Amino acid sequence: MNNINFTAPTGDTKRIENVELIPTGMQICTLYSMIDFGHQETNFGLKPQIKLAFEFPDHMRIFYEGNEAKPASVFEKEMLSMNAKSNLRKKFIQPMINRIMTDDEAAVYNISQLLGKHYVATISHSPDGKWANIQSICPLDEKNMLMFGLTSPNIPIINKLQFFHLSQGFHSAEFGFLPRKIREGLMTSSEGQKHKLSGGTFAEPPKTDNSSSNAMAGAPPQGSAVPNGLIMIDQAVTYDAYIKAGWNDQQLIDHGKAKRNAP
């Protein structure tokens, strides 16, 4: 009889406990995720929600055993409201653009244009020491970037940009590209439940197999040309999704997401 200990992996990756928090004080961050989370059940009934995620590139952490280090992040869920007293407007949007908005401006302001931009957040820790929170935030500009020894505000974005608006639809490639927990949360939203009850389908994550998966996800094949003479390098998000998120062609090039299609 063979005495070899023959085991099989469970497929589960163990999360590391007590990962070091982002230090308190002023820290550079990037808004890399903006999710229209639909109407979710709250203590005040069904309310529209938005999820924002900020990465902190100066603070790389390993969160799961065997994985590579990733930037520590802070996740914020707020009511999707630009009312003058709302957290979204008062705590985030106005400080991020560094000015007070009128109600008329707030009603039509395209908040997706803030995705991919850099900020300085003041970090505080929860009383139990388990969470890092954004206490306040402001744009990264020429004045405060000197505090960090920066000569340019161009900072690499490490996480893939995530953007989803309900108008894109649950069957869209953009929905399929979202992380599993985000997709599951959207499925349980009021809009997701109505979509399911009406017989609607939900896009699955694209397979990791090269061109066939990109075709399934609605993304152009690797290295293929898109409008305006660009070739997409980053295939995790479509060109259209970047544009809807407020990016322009030059930003895609500057951040290594695309390149010029040389004649």
Side-chain angles (χ1 to χ4, degrees), residues 49-61:
Q49 305 281 305
I50 184 172
K51 279 198 168 188
L52 306 174
F54 299 83
E55 69 173 22
F56 291 75
D58 290 339
H59 302 285
M60 304 295 288
R61 305 285 189 267

mmCIF file with all atom_site columns, all heavy atoms in Angstrom, residues 49-61:
data_model
loop_
_atom_site.group_PDB
_atom_site.id
_atom_site.type_symbol
_atom_site.label_atom_id
_atom_site.label_alt_id
_atom_site.label_comp_id
_atom_site.label_asym_id
_atom_site.label_entity_id
_atom_site.label_seq_id
_atom_site.pdbx_PDB_ins_code
_atom_site.Cartn_x
_atom_site.Cartn_y
_atom_site.Cartn_z
_atom_site.occupancy
_atom_site.B_iso_or_equiv
_atom_site.pdbx_formal_charge
_atom_site.auth_seq_id
_atom_site.auth_comp_id
_atom_site.auth_asym_id
_atom_site.auth_atom_id
_atom_site.pdbx_PDB_model_num
ATOM 1   N N   . GLN A 1 49 ? -28.538 53.193 -4.451 1.00 0.00 ? 49 GLN A N   1
ATOM 2   C CA  . GLN A 1 49 ? -27.204 53.184 -3.861 1.00 0.00 ? 49 GLN A CA  1
ATOM 3   C C   . GLN A 1 49 ? -26.132 53.350 -4.942 1.00 0.00 ? 49 GLN A C   1
ATOM 4   O O   . GLN A 1 49 ? -26.327 52.986 -6.095 1.00 0.00 ? 49 GLN A O   1
ATOM 5   C CB  . GLN A 1 49 ? -26.960 51.872 -3.119 1.00 0.00 ? 49 GLN A CB  1
ATOM 6   C CG  . GLN A 1 49 ? -27.981 51.534 -2.061 1.00 0.00 ? 49 GLN A CG  1
ATOM 7   C CD  . GLN A 1 49 ? -27.762 52.301 -0.769 1.00 0.00 ? 49 GLN A CD  1
ATOM 8   O OE1 . GLN A 1 49 ? -26.695 52.261 -0.181 1.00 0.00 ? 49 GLN A OE1 1
ATOM 9   N NE2 . GLN A 1 49 ? -28.808 52.990 -0.328 1.00 0.00 ? 49 GLN A NE2 1
ATOM 10  N N   . ILE A 1 50 ? -24.991 53.878 -4.519 1.00 0.00 ? 50 ILE A N   1
ATOM 11  C CA  . ILE A 1 50 ? -23.815 53.936 -5.377 1.00 0.00 ? 50 ILE A CA  1
ATOM 12  C C   . ILE A 1 50 ? -22.630 53.409 -4.579 1.00 0.00 ? 50 ILE A C   1
ATOM 13  O O   . ILE A 1 50 ? -22.536 53.641 -3.373 1.00 0.00 ? 50 ILE A O   1
ATOM 14  C CB  . ILE A 1 50 ? -23.526 55.374 -5.874 1.00 0.00 ? 50 ILE A CB  1
ATOM 15  C CG1 . ILE A 1 50 ? -22.337 55.372 -6.849 1.00 0.00 ? 50 ILE A CG1 1
ATOM 16  C CG2 . ILE A 1 50 ? -23.283 56.329 -4.718 1.00 0.00 ? 50 ILE A CG2 1
ATOM 17  C CD1 . ILE A 1 50 ? -22.104 56.720 -7.530 1.00 0.00 ? 50 ILE A CD1 1
ATOM 18  N N   . LYS A 1 51 ? -21.764 52.649 -5.250 1.00 0.00 ? 51 LYS A N   1
ATOM 19  C CA  . LYS A 1 51 ? -20.559 52.133 -4.614 1.00 0.00 ? 51 LYS A CA  1
ATOM 20  C C   . LYS A 1 51 ? -19.336 52.773 -5.257 1.00 0.00 ? 51 LYS A C   1
ATOM 21  O O   . LYS A 1 51 ? -19.196 52.767 -6.485 1.00 0.00 ? 51 LYS A O   1
ATOM 22  C CB  . LYS A 1 51 ? -20.483 50.605 -4.741 1.00 0.00 ? 51 LYS A CB  1
ATOM 23  C CG  . LYS A 1 51 ? -21.320 49.862 -3.718 1.00 0.00 ? 51 LYS A CG  1
ATOM 24  C CD  . LYS A 1 51 ? -20.876 48.411 -3.594 1.00 0.00 ? 51 LYS A CD  1
ATOM 25  C CE  . LYS A 1 51 ? -21.491 47.751 -2.374 1.00 0.00 ? 51 LYS A CE  1
ATOM 26  N NZ  . LYS A 1 51 ? -20.936 46.411 -2.115 1.00 0.00 ? 51 LYS A NZ  1
ATOM 27  N N   . LEU A 1 52 ? -18.463 53.318 -4.417 1.00 0.00 ? 52 LEU A N   1
ATOM 28  C CA  . LEU A 1 52 ? -17.214 53.912 -4.865 1.00 0.00 ? 52 LEU A CA  1
ATOM 29  C C   . LEU A 1 52 ? -16.062 53.140 -4.232 1.00 0.00 ? 52 LEU A C   1
ATOM 30  O O   . LEU A 1 52 ? -16.163 52.693 -3.083 1.00 0.00 ? 52 LEU A O   1
ATOM 31  C CB  . LEU A 1 52 ? -17.126 55.384 -4.448 1.00 0.00 ? 52 LEU A CB  1
ATOM 32  C CG  . LEU A 1 52 ? -18.283 56.306 -4.849 1.00 0.00 ? 52 LEU A CG  1
ATOM 33  C CD1 . LEU A 1 52 ? -18.090 57.687 -4.227 1.00 0.00 ? 52 LEU A CD1 1
ATOM 34  C CD2 . LEU A 1 52 ? -18.385 56.409 -6.363 1.00 0.00 ? 52 LEU A CD2 1
ATOM 35  N N   . ALA A 1 53 ? -14.960 52.989 -4.963 1.00 0.00 ? 53 ALA A N   1
ATOM 36  C CA  . ALA A 1 53 ? -13.777 52.329 -4.417 1.00 0.00 ? 53 ALA A CA  1
ATOM 37  C C   . ALA A 1 53 ? -12.541 53.152 -4.764 1.00 0.00 ? 53 ALA A C   1
ATOM 38  O O   . ALA A 1 53 ? -12.366 53.559 -5.918 1.00 0.00 ? 53 ALA A O   1
ATOM 39  C CB  . ALA A 1 53 ? -13.643 50.912 -4.950 1.00 0.00 ? 53 ALA A CB  1
ATOM 40  N N   . PHE A 1 54 ? -11.713 53.395 -3.763 1.00 0.00 ? 54 PHE A N   1
ATOM 41  C CA  . PHE A 1 54 ? -10.485 54.169 -3.916 1.00 0.00 ? 54 PHE A CA  1
ATOM 42  C C   . PHE A 1 54 ? -9.288  53.259 -3.625 1.00 0.00 ? 54 PHE A C   1
ATOM 43  O O   . PHE A 1 54 ? -9.267  52.563 -2.602 1.00 0.00 ? 54 PHE A O   1
ATOM 44  C CB  . PHE A 1 54 ? -10.463 55.347 -2.940 1.00 0.00 ? 54 PHE A CB  1
ATOM 45  C CG  . PHE A 1 54 ? -11.580 56.332 -3.128 1.00 0.00 ? 54 PHE A CG  1
ATOM 46  C CD1 . PHE A 1 54 ? -12.836 56.098 -2.572 1.00 0.00 ? 54 PHE A CD1 1
ATOM 47  C CD2 . PHE A 1 54 ? -11.383 57.500 -3.850 1.00 0.00 ? 54 PHE A CD2 1
ATOM 48  C CE1 . PHE A 1 54 ? -13.875 57.014 -2.727 1.00 0.00 ? 54 PHE A CE1 1
ATOM 49  C CE2 . PHE A 1 54 ? -12.414 58.421 -4.019 1.00 0.00 ? 54 PHE A CE2 1
ATOM 50  C CZ  . PHE A 1 54 ? -13.654 58.173 -3.463 1.00 0.00 ? 54 PHE A CZ  1
ATOM 51  N N   . GLU A 1 55 ? -8.302  53.256 -4.524 1.00 0.00 ? 55 GLU A N   1
ATOM 52  C CA  . GLU A 1 55 ? -7.076  52.508 -4.266 1.00 0.00 ? 55 GLU A CA  1
ATOM 53  C C   . GLU A 1 55 ? -5.987  53.453 -3.776 1.00 0.00 ? 55 GLU A C   1
ATOM 54  O O   . GLU A 1 55 ? -5.945  54.625 -4.153 1.00 0.00 ? 55 GLU A O   1
ATOM 55  C CB  . GLU A 1 55 ? -6.605  51.763 -5.508 1.00 0.00 ? 55 GLU A CB  1
ATOM 56  C CG  . GLU A 1 55 ? -6.102  52.663 -6.632 1.00 0.00 ? 55 GLU A CG  1
ATOM 57  C CD  . GLU A 1 55 ? -5.490  51.867 -7.783 1.00 0.00 ? 55 GLU A CD  1
ATOM 58  O OE1 . GLU A 1 55 ? -5.790  50.683 -7.934 1.00 0.00 ? 55 GLU A OE1 1
ATOM 59  O OE2 . GLU A 1 55 ? -4.698  52.479 -8.551 1.00 0.00 ? 55 GLU A OE2 1
ATOM 60  N N   . PHE A 1 56 ? -5.102  52.917 -2.928 1.00 0.00 ? 56 PHE A N   1
ATOM 61  C CA  . PHE A 1 56 ? -4.014  53.696 -2.334 1.00 0.00 ? 56 PHE A CA  1
ATOM 62  C C   . PHE A 1 56 ? -2.690  53.077 -2.771 1.00 0.00 ? 56 PHE A C   1
ATOM 63  O O   . PHE A 1 56 ? -2.181  52.149 -2.141 1.00 0.00 ? 56 PHE A O   1
ATOM 64  C CB  . PHE A 1 56 ? -4.158  53.714 -0.810 1.00 0.00 ? 56 PHE A CB  1
ATOM 65  C CG  . PHE A 1 56 ? -5.345  54.510 -0.343 1.00 0.00 ? 56 PHE A CG  1
ATOM 66  C CD1 . PHE A 1 56 ? -6.638  54.009 -0.465 1.00 0.00 ? 56 PHE A CD1 1
ATOM 67  C CD2 . PHE A 1 56 ? -5.176  55.784 0.193  1.00 0.00 ? 56 PHE A CD2 1
ATOM 68  C CE1 . PHE A 1 56 ? -7.738  54.755 -0.061 1.00 0.00 ? 56 PHE A CE1 1
ATOM 69  C CE2 . PHE A 1 56 ? -6.273  56.536 0.607  1.00 0.00 ? 56 PHE A CE2 1
ATOM 70  C CZ  . PHE A 1 56 ? -7.557  56.018 0.478  1.00 0.00 ? 56 PHE A CZ  1
ATOM 71  N N   . PRO A 1 57 ? -2.113  53.551 -3.884 1.00 0.00 ? 57 PRO A N   1
ATOM 72  C CA  . PRO A 1 57 ? -0.963  52.878 -4.508 1.00 0.00 ? 57 PRO A CA  1
ATOM 73  C C   . PRO A 1 57 ? 0.301   52.877 -3.668 1.00 0.00 ? 57 PRO A C   1
ATOM 74  O O   . PRO A 1 57 ? 1.191   52.066 -3.917 1.00 0.00 ? 57 PRO A O   1
ATOM 75  C CB  . PRO A 1 57 ? -0.765  53.677 -5.809 1.00 0.00 ? 57 PRO A CB  1
ATOM 76  C CG  . PRO A 1 57 ? -1.367  55.017 -5.535 1.00 0.00 ? 57 PRO A CG  1
ATOM 77  C CD  . PRO A 1 57 ? -2.528  54.754 -4.640 1.00 0.00 ? 57 PRO A CD  1
ATOM 78  N N   . ASP A 1 58 ? 0.395   53.750 -2.676 1.00 0.00 ? 58 ASP A N   1
ATOM 79  C CA  . ASP A 1 58 ? 1.588   53.767 -1.821 1.00 0.00 ? 58 ASP A CA  1
ATOM 80  C C   . ASP A 1 58 ? 1.540   52.696 -0.737 1.00 0.00 ? 58 ASP A C   1
ATOM 81  O O   . ASP A 1 58 ? 2.503   52.545 0.031  1.00 0.00 ? 58 ASP A O   1
ATOM 82  C CB  . ASP A 1 58 ? 1.749   55.143 -1.162 1.00 0.00 ? 58 ASP A CB  1
ATOM 83  C CG  . ASP A 1 58 ? 2.144   56.214 -2.163 1.00 0.00 ? 58 ASP A CG  1
ATOM 84  O OD1 . ASP A 1 58 ? 2.665   55.846 -3.233 1.00 0.00 ? 58 ASP A OD1 1
ATOM 85  O OD2 . ASP A 1 58 ? 1.926   57.407 -1.883 1.00 0.00 ? 58 ASP A OD2 1
ATOM 86  N N   . HIS A 1 59 ? 0.423   51.963 -0.666 1.00 0.00 ? 59 HIS A N   1
ATOM 87  C CA  . HIS A 1 59 ? 0.267   50.991 0.407  1.00 0.00 ? 59 HIS A CA  1
ATOM 88  C C   . HIS A 1 59 ? -0.183  49.657 -0.174 1.00 0.00 ? 59 HIS A C   1
ATOM 89  O O   . HIS A 1 59 ? -1.370  49.329 -0.211 1.00 0.00 ? 59 HIS A O   1
ATOM 90  C CB  . HIS A 1 59 ? -0.726  51.515 1.451  1.00 0.00 ? 59 HIS A CB  1
ATOM 91  C CG  . HIS A 1 59 ? -0.304  52.821 2.040  1.00 0.00 ? 59 HIS A CG  1
ATOM 92  N ND1 . HIS A 1 59 ? 0.715   52.930 2.963  1.00 0.00 ? 59 HIS A ND1 1
ATOM 93  C CD2 . HIS A 1 59 ? -0.728  54.090 1.790  1.00 0.00 ? 59 HIS A CD2 1
ATOM 94  C CE1 . HIS A 1 59 ? 0.896   54.203 3.271  1.00 0.00 ? 59 HIS A CE1 1
ATOM 95  N NE2 . HIS A 1 59 ? 0.036   54.930 2.578  1.00 0.00 ? 59 HIS A NE2 1
ATOM 96  N N   . MET A 1 60 ? 0.799   48.884 -0.637 1.00 0.00 ? 60 MET A N   1
ATOM 97  C CA  . MET A 1 60 ? 0.536   47.586 -1.238 1.00 0.00 ? 60 MET A CA  1
ATOM 98  C C   . MET A 1 60 ? 0.411   46.530 -0.134 1.00 0.00 ? 60 MET A C   1
ATOM 99  O O   . MET A 1 60 ? 1.164   46.537 0.845  1.00 0.00 ? 60 MET A O   1
ATOM 100 C CB  . MET A 1 60 ? 1.655   47.208 -2.207 1.00 0.00 ? 60 MET A CB  1
ATOM 101 C CG  . MET A 1 60 ? 1.897   48.244 -3.309 1.00 0.00 ? 60 MET A CG  1
ATOM 102 S SD  . MET A 1 60 ? 0.481   48.418 -4.423 1.00 0.00 ? 60 MET A SD  1
ATOM 103 C CE  . MET A 1 60 ? 0.585   46.864 -5.319 1.00 0.00 ? 60 MET A CE  1
ATOM 104 N N   . ARG A 1 61 ? -0.553  45.640 -0.299 1.00 0.00 ? 61 ARG A N   1
ATOM 105 C CA  . ARG A 1 61 ? -0.808  44.612 0.699  1.00 0.00 ? 61 ARG A CA  1
ATOM 106 C C   . ARG A 1 61 ? -1.092  43.272 0.005  1.00 0.00 ? 61 ARG A C   1
ATOM 107 O O   . ARG A 1 61 ? -1.581  43.227 -1.122 1.00 0.00 ? 61 ARG A O   1
ATOM 108 C CB  . ARG A 1 61 ? -2.025  44.973 1.563  1.00 0.00 ? 61 ARG A CB  1
ATOM 109 C CG  . ARG A 1 61 ? -1.939  46.338 2.248  1.00 0.00 ? 61 ARG A CG  1
ATOM 110 C CD  . ARG A 1 61 ? -0.994  46.313 3.428  1.00 0.00 ? 61 ARG A CD  1
ATOM 111 N NE  . ARG A 1 61 ? -1.072  47.555 4.189  1.00 0.00 ? 61 ARG A NE  1
ATOM 112 C CZ  . ARG A 1 61 ? -0.290  48.613 3.990  1.00 0.00 ? 61 ARG A CZ  1
ATOM 113 N NH1 . ARG A 1 61 ? 0.640   48.580 3.031  1.00 0.00 ? 61 ARG A NH1 1
ATOM 114 N NH2 . ARG A 1 61 ? -0.407  49.694 4.743  1.00 0.00 ? 61 ARG A NH2 1
#
